[in-house]
C-alpha cells in the first residue's frame, strides 16, 4: 500500500494581511497531481486543515474541493483536526462524505479508522488521534502545577489513547498511526501556534510505541523525522508561513508498506508551489536595495528586509520602496548605534507607540512627543497601506 502523508494546510492563513489563497489553490492542484502520478492508495492529512476555528468561506470551499478531487477515483482520505481547527467544524459534513471514502475525525475517539486500497486489495488500520487537548479530552490530567508532572501525565494519556486505538492492529493489515501533537525532539517554527505551555504539552516518543509501522504527524511545519520506535515523521506544511521558515524546502511524504510489518520505504517528494520567503540584509543601504530590485532579485518572493541606514526613512520612502516590489513585507531599518548596542532583537518587542516615541526623540534631539501627536501618528498608520504599522514596529 502506498500512502501520501500531508498536513498543516492552514487554509485561510495570510501573511501580514497578504492572502495566500492562490498559493493554497496551487498546492491543492499539485497535491492532486502527485497523488495520481505517485499512485497513492490513500491520503492522510494530519491536522490543521484551517488556520482558525472560524475560517473564511473560501478556505472551507477549497478544502471540500480538495477532498472531492483526491477521492474521485476511489482513493480514501483520512483527515484529523489540529489545534487550529474547530473539531466539530472539521467533522460536520461527515454524513455527506462518508460514502465518498472521506473520513473526518474531529474529536478523539476509541475506534481506529479502517480503510481499503482498491489497487492492492489491502486493508489499513489507522490509530487516528486528533489534537488531544485537556479541553477536548474533557478531563483534567493533573492538579499539580509542576510542568514536568503535567508533561508526564499528558504523555501517559496520549500513550493510553494511542494504545487503545492500536488494539485493532493485525498481522494481515497495514498498521498506521496519525496524530497532531508536539513530540519531544521536534524542531519548531514561528508560524505554529504553541500547543505546549513551556514543555508541558510535549509528548515523549515512547508514547507512540504502539506497533505502528509508520506514524504520520502534524503540527511542526518543518518536514522531519522524530527519533522513536518505528518510523515517526512530520510531513511539514506545504507553504512557508513565517520567515522562520525561509529557505526551507516544502514537501509531502510518500510511504510504501506491506501488511503485517517490515520497514516502510519513505520518500520525501518536494513541492514546487508557493511563493518563497526570503530575508534581505542590505548593509549597503537603500542603494543596494534598489540595485537588487533593478536586477530582478527574488521577483516572486515575500521579503523580510533589513536595511542599514544613517538617517531615518520617511513614510514616503517606505511607500515608494513597497511599490517597487509587491512582495516586500517588512522593512527593518538598522542604525549604527542599534547594531553596536545589540538592540536589533529588542526592537521587535516594543509596541508601535514606543517605537514612534524613540524615533521622534532621535529626530528632535531628545524632545518628547505630545500624546496627541502619538495618537495622530497611530491613526495615520492604521489608514495607510497594509504593512506600514509592521514596518514602524520593525517586524
Amino acid at each position: 500500500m502506498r500512502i501520501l502523508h500531508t498536513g498543516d494546510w492552514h487554509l485561510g492563513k495570510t501573511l501580514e494581511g497578504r492572502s495566500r489563497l492562490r498559493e493554497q489553490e496551487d498546492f491543492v492542484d499539485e497535491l492532486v497531481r502527485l497523488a495520481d502520478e505517485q499512485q497513492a492508495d490513500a491520503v492522510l492529512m494530519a491536522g490543521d486543515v484551517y488556520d482558525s476555528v472560524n475560517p473564511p468561506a473560501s478556505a472551507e470551499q477549497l478544502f471540500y474541493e480538495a477532498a472531492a478531487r483526491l477521492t474521485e477515483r476511489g482513493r480514501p482520505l483520512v483527515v484529523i483536526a489540529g489545534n487550529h481547527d474547530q473539531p466539530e467544524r472539521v467533522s460536520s459534513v461527515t454524513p455527506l462524505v462518508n460514502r465518498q471514502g472521506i473520513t473526518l475525525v474531529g474529536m478523539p475517539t476509541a475506534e481506529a479508522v479502517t480503510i481499503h486500497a482498491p489497487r492492492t486489495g489491502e486493508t489499513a488500520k489507522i490509530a487516528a488521534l486528533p489534537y488531544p487537548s485537556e479541553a477536548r479530552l474533557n478531563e483534567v490530567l493533573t492538579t499539580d502545577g509542576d510542568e514536568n508532572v503535567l508533561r508526564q501525565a499528558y504523555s501517559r494519556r496520549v500513550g493510553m489513547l494511542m494504545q487503545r486505538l492500536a488494539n485493532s492492529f493485525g498481522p494481515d493489515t497495514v498498521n498506521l498511526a496519525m496524530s497532531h501533537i508536539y513530540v519531544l525532539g521536534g524542531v519548531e517554527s514561528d508560524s505554529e501556534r504553541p500547543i505546549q505551555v513551556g514543555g508541558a504539552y510535549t509528548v515523549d516518543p515512547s508514547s507512540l510505541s504502539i506497533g505502528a509501522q509508520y506514524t504520520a504527524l502534524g503540527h511542526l511545519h518543518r518536514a522531519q523525522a522524530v527519533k522513536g520506535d518505528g518510523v515517526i515523521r512530520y510531513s511539514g506544511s506545504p507553504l512557508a508561513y513565517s520567515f522562520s521558515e525561509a529557505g526551507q524546502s516544502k514537501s509531502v511524504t510518500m510511504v510504501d508498506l506491506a501488511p503485517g510489518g517490515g520497514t516502510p520505504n519513505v520518500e520525501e517528494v518536494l513541492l514546487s508551489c508557493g511563493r518563497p520567503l526570503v530575508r534581505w540584509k542590505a548593509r549597503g543601504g537603500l542603494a543596494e536595495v534598489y540595485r537588487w530590485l533593478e536586477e530582478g532579485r527574488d521577483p516572486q518572493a515575500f521579503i523580510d528586509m533589513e536595511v542599514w541606514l544613517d538617517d531615518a526613512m520617511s513614510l514616503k520612502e517606505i511607500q515608494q520602496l513597497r511599490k517597487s516590489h509587491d512582495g516586500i513585507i517588512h522593512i527593518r531599518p538598522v542604525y549604527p548605534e542599534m547594531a553596536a548596542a545589540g538592540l536589533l532583537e529588542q526592537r521587535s518587542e516594543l509596541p508601535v507607540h514606543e517605537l514612534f516615541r524613540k524615533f521622534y526623540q532621535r529626530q528632535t534631539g531628545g524632545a518628547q512627543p505630545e500624546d496627541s501627536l502619538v495618537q495622530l501618528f497611530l491613526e495615520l498608520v492604521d489608514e495607510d497601506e497594509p504593512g506600514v504599522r509592521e514596518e514602524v514596529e520593525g517586524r
Side-chain angles (χ1 to χ4, degrees), residues 18-333:
R18 270 75 165 182
S19 173
R20 311 294 300 276
L21 183 63
R22 179 58 185 271
E23 295 170 84
Q24 292 170 338
E25 291 172 343
D26 290 343
F27 159 65
V28 168
D29 289 343
E30 186 168 5
L31 182 68
V32 172
R33 178 177 58 78
L34 285 174
D36 291 340
E37 291 178 354
Q38 297 281 335
Q39 294 187 306
D41 295 305
V43 177
L44 303 187
M45 196 289 172
D48 281 352
V49 176
Y50 304 115
D51 190 55
S52 70
V53 296
N54 188 28
S58 57
E60 290 189 288
Q61 180 178 348
L62 182 57
F63 171 60
Y64 299 146
E65 290 175 352
R69 293 173 64 188
L70 286 168
T71 58
E72 65 182 358
R73 300 184 183 182
R75 178 191 299 117
L77 167 67
V78 182
V79 179
I80 60 173
N83 60 301
H84 283 245
D85 298 314
Q86 216 288 340
E88 290 80 8
R89 183 183 291 273
V90 170
S91 60
S92 62
V93 294
T94 291
L96 298 178
V97 301
N98 257 355
R99 294 184 181 180
Q100 304 303 315
I102 301 170
T103 303
L104 307 173
V105 188
M107 297 289 286
T109 69
E111 299 295 328
V113 175
T114 301
I115 59 173
H116 303 281
R119 184 180 67 89
T120 64
E122 297 166 341
T123 298
K125 297 288 185 177
I126 307 170
L129 179 65
Y131 169 55
S133 66
E134 287 184 280
R136 297 184 189 185
L137 294 174
N138 195 29
E139 61 181 293
V140 177
L141 297 174
T142 178
T143 58
D144 194 314
D146 183 85
E147 182 180 295
N148 288 328
V149 173
L150 179 54
R151 183 178 67 81
Q152 292 170 11
Y154 187 69
S155 281
R156 284 196 301 270
R157 189 70 180 105
V158 168
M160 290 172 60
L161 292 167
M162 295 297 285
Q163 187 58 61
R164 183 172 63 181
L165 290 166
N167 286 338
S168 62
F169 287 176
D172 58 346
T173 57
V174 172
N175 301 317
L176 303 168
M178 176 166 62
S179 191
H180 193 91
I181 51 179
Y182 177 74
V183 177
L184 195 63
V187 180
E188 299 176 87
S189 301
D190 290 346
S191 57
E192 298 140 9
R193 182 177 302 156
I195 59 177
Q196 69 275 3
V197 180
Y201 289 103
T202 58
V203 176
D204 192 278
S206 62
S207 299
L208 303 177
S209 299
I210 60 172
Q213 297 167 257
Y214 180 82
T215 300
L217 295 179
H219 177 57
L220 299 186
H221 289 186
R222 180 192 293 271
Q224 59 191 286
V226 177
K227 292 182 179 179
D229 293 341
V231 180
I232 306 171
R233 185 172 176 83
Y234 287 95
S235 65
S237 61
L239 302 178
Y241 284 123
S242 77
F243 284 99
S244 66
E245 300 169 50
Q248 288 185 17
S249 297
K250 296 300 182 177
S251 62
V252 296
T253 304
M254 299 299 306
V255 188
D256 288 292
L257 312 98
T263 302
N265 181 54
V266 177
E267 178 187 3
E268 185 177 0
V269 181
L270 297 180
L271 297 170
S272 62
C273 60
R275 295 177 67 168
L277 271 61
V278 301
R279 285 189 164 119
W280 286 6
K281 294 185 181 293
R283 297 180 182 275
L286 286 173
E288 185 171 34
V289 173
Y290 281 112
R291 184 174 72 252
W292 290 342
L293 291 170
E294 290 174 2
E295 293 170 355
R297 180 175 180 177
D298 298 319
Q300 300 302 317
F302 287 119
I303 300 168
D304 176 275
M305 179 192 305
E306 286 188 354
V307 54
W308 269 246
L309 300 170
D310 292 323
D311 298 309
M313 294 178 65
S314 67
L315 288 179
K316 182 178 179 180
E317 289 175 315
I318 293 170
Q319 291 170 345
Q320 181 180 354
L321 194 56
R322 289 188 183 282
K323 289 177 182 177
S324 64
H325 192 304
D326 69 355
I328 294 176
I329 303 297
H330 301 144
I331 305 170
R332 305 176 188 272

